[in-house]
Amino acid sequence: MMNTHYRTLAAPAEAEFKDKGSRFIAYAYPVADAETVKTHVEALRQAHHKARHWCYAYRLGTDGNRFRANDDGEPAGSAGRPILGQIDSAGLTDTLVVVVRYFGGTLLGVPGLIHAYKTATAQALAAAETVEKAVRRTVRLRCDYPHLSEALRIAKQHQAEVLEQDLQLDCRLLLAVPAAEYDACLAAWEQTRAVQRLD
């Protein structure tokens, strides 16, 4: 069965965890793509240029299929994976968490690192406000001018949002329809016979 909703962050949040002099500052962000991830990671590298590590993990997409965990020089599996594990435990997607580590002089060992990265991430996500969003699917339509208001009435009835409209000789629309309404909305447009699907 297809997901009709997904959970993500409503706004950025942060938290700090300390262990044996090391500071772990976790920053959680809502993100839509890998480019935004790079932007946030680079901004934190510059803001915390004296830190030792900038470990991160993210999960993207309404199906959560795109993800990455980066240890940034920490022992393999001791930072990125625990961060990703917390994002998954919270049931979130379109979410990035970067944990900035300032080394305190005492080695924590792999179990200590896993605990620290996990705890800092969990605290940042607990501090964050989450939001549930509808999964949306896009569709392109074409209709003649006299039928535009009917096409838009059906769109509104099914909570579809017009992303683009090109009103030349005929009307071409790009709409985002909630997944839960998609089939019913298409059927309603097809019944008018005046609205054509382009994709």
Side-chain angles (χ1 to χ4, degrees), residues 77-123:
S78 68
R81 277 278 162 202
I83 295 169
L84 184 63
Q86 290 306 301
I87 293 171
D88 292 346
S89 291
L92 298 168
T93 189
D94 284 358
T95 299
L96 161 71
V97 177
V98 184
V99 180
V100 177
R101 181 189 181 191
Y102 285 90
F103 184 56
T106 305
L107 293 173
L108 302 179
V110 171
L113 288 173
I114 290 171
H115 175 72
Y117 282 104
K118 188 175 168 181
T119 305
T121 302
Q123 289 175 354

Side-chain angles (χ1 to χ4, degrees), residues 154 158 181-193 197:
I154 292 168
H158 294 277
E181 297 279 336
Y182 190 76
D183 293 338
C185 193
L186 280 188
W189 279 321
E190 281 162 14
Q191 274 180 344
T192 68
R193 294 183 187 277
R197 197 173 155 193

Side-chain angles (χ1 to χ4, degrees), residues 122-136:
Q123 289 175 354
L125 293 177
E129 186 187 337
T130 61
V131 63
E132 192 169 273
K133 293 186 173 183
V135 172
R136 301 191 314 167

